[in-house]
Amino acid sequence: MLQSIFIQNYALIDRLDISFTSGFSVITGETGAGKSIILGAIGLLLGQRADVKAIKKGASKCIVEAKFHIANYGMEPFFTDNDIEFDPDECILRREVSENGKSRAFINDTPASLAQMRLLGEKLIDIHSQHQNLLLNKEGFQLNILDILAQDEAILYGYQQQFCTYKDVCRELDEFIQKAEKSRQDEDYIRFQLEQLEEAELKENEQEELEAEAEILTHAEEIKAGLYRAGQLADGEGNSALSMVKECMQAVQGISNVYQQAEEWSNRLNSCYIELKDISHDIEVAAEAVDFNPSRLTYVNERLNLIYNLQQKHRVNNIAELIELTEKYRSELDAITSFDDRITELNRKKEDLYERVIQMAAVLTEARSKAARYIEEQMEGLLIPLGMPNVRFAVEMTARKEPDAKGMDSISFLFSANKNGMLQNVASIASGGEIARVMLSLKAMIAGAVKLPTIIFDEIDTGVSGSIAEKMALIMKQMGEQNRQVISITHLPQIAARGIAHYKVYKEDTENGTNSHIRLLNTEERVKEIANMLSGTTLTEAALNNARALLGLENT
């Protein structure tokens, strides 16, 4: 429960430090006194967006801090999961907003994100304001109530996991179908390009070899003449290079027995002779091999032209890239042919998952159906004492055509306050006062199913008065007796009188401006406050006596 709240430099609040009690408490005050400001400050602790305009004029930052008693509410897993220090009895939330727009949040003095504040706040406190009555027309809100009372969290979680898997497969299947359609549109083009490349029968290094051969064939006569001339000089008739090296070697050998250094020269000349003889032989072979072959030159040039055209067409620089492109087209065609197999596999998987989703949705529907009958019974029992003797309340469940993240159920709360009246959507036919009573009754049921430490009702009594307001107060008081704190912000004396504790919000003008305050009223102050609520600013003895009667005090 909310033990205390400290607010500094927020809106009209200079400094506020107030403690709260367990059970059912009420807060009263004139319109504009600052009740909504206090709720706004609490909203900051629940992770709501901070507005620098809320900082009190002249202050550099505002601070909001609240202490909660959390024993017996099973909140340790949150602190463990978020690596925040856990105190089994107390939890402190703190929010600071600076004039530069920066905001800091703390949970038990540990820096926290707003997402963590929101998640923890949902477990600590529920603020029901007037605008929440509009939610009664939202199917999602109605379904959430049904799930809470069905206590089907584990079933719903399992279903949603299965549904997410199903949707993932659906998305994957759609992507494959789109890829397959696009690929089939390109298939003829890819196949034509591949066939052209495969017909070329390209080989690695082929281009370099053909270019070299083309050079030789183009200059065959010139090369052949050069080789013939070189061969004659090396080993032709007359004074050829070989004969002259041989004569030189023989001359040196002739003096080697009397001139020692000549033997070395003889060996070196012999090596030159052998090397020159080999060269001469190679030149002779090459000369015989070189021949002008017009048909071969034509083939080589045509082959090179094919390669050059393919390179230009596909915008690549060499034959290696053409070969790589061939493999790419081949892989794409293989992928196209495999799409059908993958699509068939995914379709089968989708059908299996869909069947599981439908089965799990049926289990969810069964749990919700039981909760729907329970709600119908309980709502009539709660609403009849609240001035609706002919009320009928029904939960209409219809099956959706297709499952969604919440299951197969479409929910609608139906209502009729008049005898023999037609059941219609509750939000479309119920008056403001009737909706207030419906929402209070729903909250009372939810409170019994959820371990929520604190519930704040912000003027849930709109549109009701008299004995009906008193009966609503009794419901809130009963809720506060179930190990829960209930706080009602009200303008009705019948509700204010039922609170165990009564707080008053008021404004005070000072030299520095207007400040909002809140304080706990004693018995006599409560009598005067309720009397004011009954008769206005002019206190009458009758109003005071009436206030004492509402509080169960003697008329003194």
Side-chain angles (χ1 to χ4, degrees):
M1 74 171 206
L2 177 63
Q3 289 182 303
S4 65
I5 185 168
F6 170 81
I7 305 172
Q8 185 174 22
N9 298 327
Y10 181 79
L12 296 180
I13 297 174
D14 184 17
R15 181 184 177 88
L16 183 152
D17 194 351
I18 189 75
S19 297
F20 293 93
T21 64
S22 59
F24 178 46
S25 301
V26 296
I27 298 176
T28 62
E30 295 180 359
T31 300
K35 300 186 293 296
S36 61
I37 294 174
I38 295 173
L39 286 179
I42 294 174
L44 287 180
L45 297 177
L46 304 182
Q48 292 180 7
R49 182 178 177 273
D51 188 347
V52 294
K53 294 179 181 178
I55 301 175
K56 190 173 179 64
K57 185 177 180 180
S60 59
K61 69 176 180 179
C62 70
I63 299 172
V64 183
E65 180 178 291
K67 293 182 181 179
F68 293 85
H69 182 67
I70 60 172
N72 303 320
Y73 286 102
M75 294 188 180
E76 185 174 2
F78 168 85
F79 292 87
T80 302
D81 294 343
N82 291 276
D83 195 24
I84 296 174
E85 182 180 349
F86 175 67
D87 184 324
D89 295 318
E90 187 178 76
C91 171
I92 300 175
L93 301 185
R94 179 183 177 91
R95 185 90 178 271
E96 298 178 1
V97 182
S98 302
E99 59 183 347
N100 60 9
K102 292 184 178 179
S103 169
R104 297 196 301 166
F106 302 87
I107 300 175
N108 289 346
D109 290 328
T110 300
S113 67
L114 292 187
Q116 290 172 321
M117 294 280 279
R118 280 192 290 271
L119 186 59
L120 179 58
E122 291 173 357
K123 301 177 183 295
L124 291 172
I125 190 167
D126 174 37
I127 299 177
H128 180 91
S129 57
Q130 291 184 58
H131 78 271
Q132 274 196 313
N133 289 342
L134 301 175
L135 293 175
L136 198 54
N137 198 32
K138 305 293 184 182
E139 183 180 353
F141 177 76
Q142 297 176 2
L143 185 58
N144 188 46
I145 289 176
L146 193 60
D147 283 329
I148 290 172
L149 295 174
Q151 296 185 332
D152 58 10
E153 183 178 357
I155 300 172
L156 180 59
Y157 177 78
Y159 167 83
Q160 289 176 333
Q161 293 292 102
Q162 193 70 48
F163 182 77
C164 285
T165 303
Y166 165 71
K167 295 302 289 184
D168 287 342
V169 170
C170 289
R171 279 190 292 272
E172 186 180 359
L173 176 59
D174 289 342
E175 289 173 2
F176 258 93
I177 291 173
Q178 291 176 9
K179 287 179 181 179
E181 290 176 352
K182 185 179 183 304
S183 296
R184 288 191 181 99
Q185 292 171 1
D186 298 337
E187 182 177 4
D188 290 341
Y189 170 80
I190 294 172
R191 191 175 300 281
F192 174 77
Q193 302 301 327
L194 177 61
E195 289 176 353
Q196 190 179 49
L197 287 168
E198 286 182 335
E199 285 175 2
E201 296 182 345
L202 302 171
K203 301 178 182 63
E204 290 186 12
N205 304 318
E206 180 183 10
Q207 182 177 348
E208 293 81 357
E209 294 172 357
L210 289 172
E211 287 172 342
E213 185 179 359
E215 191 70 17
I216 293 172
L217 289 170
T218 301
H219 301 88
E221 293 184 0
E222 180 184 345
I223 294 170
K224 194 172 186 69
L227 290 175
Y228 178 78
R229 175 63 179 159
Q232 289 296 313
L233 290 172
D235 192 18
E237 295 181 358
N239 294 328
S240 65
L242 274 172
S243 62
M244 292 178 70
V245 171
K246 185 175 182 181
E247 287 180 9
C248 182
M249 181 179 62
Q250 290 173 346
V252 172
Q253 285 178 342
I255 61 172
S256 59
N257 57 342
V258 294
Y259 189 64
Q260 187 173 357
Q261 191 173 354
E263 184 175 355
E264 180 189 350
W265 293 340
S266 176
N267 292 334
R268 291 169 64 187
L269 284 168
N270 186 53
S271 296
C272 289
Y273 180 81
I274 295 171
E275 179 68 17
L276 187 57
K277 193 171 184 64
D278 285 343
I279 292 172
S280 176
H281 179 266
D282 290 345
I283 289 174
E284 183 181 356
V285 172
E288 292 178 357
V290 174
D291 193 15
F292 178 64
N293 188 339
S295 60
R296 177 62 183 175
L297 179 59
T298 300
Y299 168 79
V300 170
N301 285 332
E302 288 177 351
R303 184 69 176 168
L304 284 172
N305 285 335
L306 172 64
I307 293 172
Y308 295 150
N309 288 336
L310 288 173
Q311 288 175 354
Q312 185 177 13
K313 175 181 179 180
H314 296 287
R315 297 181 181 179
V316 298
N317 299 314
N318 51 59
I319 202 167
E321 292 180 4
L322 284 174
I323 293 174
E324 183 179 344
L325 185 62
T326 303
E327 292 302 320
K328 176 177 175 292
Y329 283 141
R330 193 173 288 130
S331 297
E332 288 179 359
L333 278 181
D334 290 341
I336 291 172
T337 56
S338 67
F339 275 142
D340 288 341
D341 293 339
R342 181 59 177 161
I343 289 173
T344 300
E345 179 186 349
L346 286 173
N347 264 318
R348 188 182 304 112
K349 189 174 182 180
K350 175 184 173 181
E351 291 171 2
D352 291 343
L353 286 170
Y354 182 82
E355 186 63 30
R356 291 182 211 169
V357 166
I358 296 300
Q359 290 173 358
M360 296 183 75
V363 176
L364 196 57
T365 297
E366 183 179 358
R368 287 169 173 169
S369 296
K370 293 179 181 178
R373 304 293 78 78
Y374 171 79
I375 291 174
E376 292 171 347
E377 295 171 4
Q378 293 296 310
M379 285 296 287
E380 290 190 6
L382 288 166
L383 290 172
I384 287 174
L386 293 178
M388 299 184 190
N390 298 310
V391 70
R392 285 187 296 148
F393 191 93
V395 180
E396 183 180 60
M397 292 180 60
T398 56
R400 296 180 180 276
K401 292 182 179 180
E402 291 294 333
D404 64 9
K406 291 289 188 178
M408 287 286 292
D409 305 310
S410 180
I411 305 299
S412 182
F413 286 175
L414 304 180
F415 173 84
S416 173
N418 302 315
K419 188 174 182 179
N420 299 323
M422 182 182 296
L423 283 169
Q424 296 182 54
N425 189 288
V426 61
S428 64
I429 65 165
S431 66
E434 289 169 341
I435 287 179
R437 283 173 272 178
V438 169
M439 288 298 290
L440 178 61
S441 300
L442 288 171
K443 288 281 184 176
M445 282 194 294
I446 292 171
V450 179
K451 288 184 176 181
L452 192 64
T454 300
I455 299 176
I456 298 178
F457 290 108
D458 181 18
E459 300 183 8
I460 196 172
D461 48 36
T462 300
V464 298
S465 59
S467 61
I468 302 304
E470 186 175 359
K471 290 173 182 176
M472 290 178 70
L474 288 173
I475 291 176
M476 288 186 276
K477 187 175 182 179
Q478 291 170 1
M479 291 170 64
E481 293 169 352
Q482 301 170 0
N483 191 28
R484 183 179 295 105
Q485 178 187 49
V486 178
I487 300 173
S488 176
I489 299 173
T490 182
H491 287 293
L492 297 181
Q494 293 86 354
I495 292 179
R498 288 293 178 177
I500 296 173
H502 187 156
Y503 300 85
K504 180 178 180 178
V505 178
Y506 61 97
K507 287 193 298 187
E508 184 178 52
D509 293 327
T510 67
E511 294 180 357
N512 297 323
T514 301
N515 287 322
S516 288
H517 301 277
I518 183 172
R519 63 187 177 88
L520 178 65
L521 302 181
N522 59 33
T523 302
E524 191 57 34
E525 289 171 332
R526 288 191 73 182
V527 171
K528 292 181 179 179
E529 174 69 8
I530 292 173
N532 278 329
M533 297 171 73
L534 286 166
S535 64
T537 55
T538 302
L539 283 179
T540 63
E541 191 62 31
L544 290 169
N545 289 334
N546 197 359
R548 292 188 184 97
L550 285 174
L551 288 167
L553 303 173
E554 293 183 0
N555 293 335
T556 57

